[in-house]
């Protein structure tokens, strides 16, 4: 079964939306702080049970899946016809959206992983020598990463549409050249 542009765009969209939803839920479920409990020689922070770390990592995985599908969909040879990369990158609009898509996906991944890893470190290294507020990861970063992951998926869709336009123009030119050469051979 051949893969179509619609199927690839659906994959990019679904993975991007799932990443967005998981990131927003992770941001909303993150506890404000933990409870300091006096321990032997210091303070132990007890945090409520929450799915923030798991949801943050899942959001990052779905963002990566969306980005990989978006990247591959641009270069995939649909209907068995491939286009030279030089031809794709000769379109200024495509180059701009391709690079912006990569940048936004990387920024989204950073905004998702940074607070997720930080939250995981707070949960595992919960012993402090002095009484603290029992910190958690910075609020808002994961939600921002979720919105950026949705933006990245949408930008990959735009890059895919632009690549499809370049692909159609390229194959029209190839057919016109072939028809012109066929006419010359008959004469």
């Amino acid at each position: 079964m051949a893969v179509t542009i619609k199927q690839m765009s659906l994959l990019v969209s679904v993975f991007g939306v799932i990443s967005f939803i998981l990131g927003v839920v992770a941001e909303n479920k993150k506890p404000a702080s933990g409870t300091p409990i006096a321990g032997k020689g210091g303070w132990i922070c007890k945090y409520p049970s929450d799915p923030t770390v798991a949801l943050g990592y899942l959001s990052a995985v779905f963002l990566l899946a969306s980005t990989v599908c978006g990247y591959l969909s641009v270069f995939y040879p649909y209907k068995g016809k491939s286009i030279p990369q030089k031809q794709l990158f000769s379109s200024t609009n495509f180059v701009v959206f391709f690079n912006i898509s990569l940048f936004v996906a990387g920024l989204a991944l950073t905004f998702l992983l940074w607070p997720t890893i930080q939250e995981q470190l707070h949960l595992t290294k919960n012993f402090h020598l002095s009484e603290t507020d029992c910190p958690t990861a910075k609020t808002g970063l994961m939600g921002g990463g979720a919105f950026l992951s949705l933006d990245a998926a949408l930008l990959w869709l735009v890059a895919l549409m632009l690549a499809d336009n370049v692909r159609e123009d390229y194959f029209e030119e190839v057919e016109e050249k072939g028809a012109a050469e066929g006419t010359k051979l008959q004469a």
Side-chain angles (χ1 to χ4, degrees):
M1 184 174 125
V3 178
T4 65
I5 291 177
K6 288 181 183 179
Q7 290 170 332
M8 290 301 278
S9 62
L10 185 64
L11 277 176
V12 171
S13 302
V14 167
F15 289 150
V17 168
I18 291 172
S19 174
F20 167 71
I21 291 170
L22 290 173
V24 169
V25 171
E27 178 70 42
N28 288 333
K29 296 288 183 183
K30 188 176 79 58
S33 66
T35 307
I37 301 171
K40 189 175 182 180
W43 296 86
I44 299 172
C45 289
K46 178 143 175 68
Y47 293 96
S49 178
D50 70 285
T52 301
V53 173
L55 291 174
Y57 284 129
L58 281 173
S59 180
V61 165
F62 279 102
L63 169 64
L64 283 173
S66 175
T67 301
V68 167
C69 286
Y71 185 87
L72 293 176
S73 70
V74 167
F75 301 110
Y76 187 79
Y78 297 102
K79 298 177 185 173
K81 297 179 181 178
S82 63
I83 180 172
Q85 286 185 9
K86 179 182 177 184
Q87 192 68 32
L88 272 177
F89 288 104
S90 67
S91 169
T92 305
N93 289 335
F94 171 75
V95 170
V96 168
F97 276 94
F98 181 79
N99 287 322
I100 290 174
S101 300
L102 282 174
F103 176 75
V104 171
L107 192 61
L109 189 62
T110 302
F111 274 30
L112 287 172
L113 287 179
W114 179 10
T116 302
I117 292 169
Q118 191 178 29
E119 187 72 17
Q120 185 176 14
L121 288 174
H122 286 309
L123 293 174
T124 56
K125 299 178 188 267
N126 60 353
F127 182 78
H128 302 282
L129 294 176
S130 62
E131 184 176 5
T132 65
D133 294 337
C134 292
T136 59
K138 182 139 178 80
T139 303
L141 287 179
M142 202 172 299
F147 278 98
L148 283 173
S149 68
L150 183 63
D151 292 342
L154 294 173
L155 287 167
W156 279 116
L157 292 177
V158 172
L160 178 57
M161 288 187 291
L162 291 170
D164 188 40
N165 290 343
V166 171
R167 188 176 286 111
E168 287 176 8
D169 292 344
Y170 174 75
F171 289 125
E172 282 179 11
E173 287 177 21
V174 168
E175 288 176 13
E176 287 175 7
K177 284 181 183 178
E181 288 178 10
T183 307
K184 287 180 185 177
L185 290 176
Q186 289 177 354

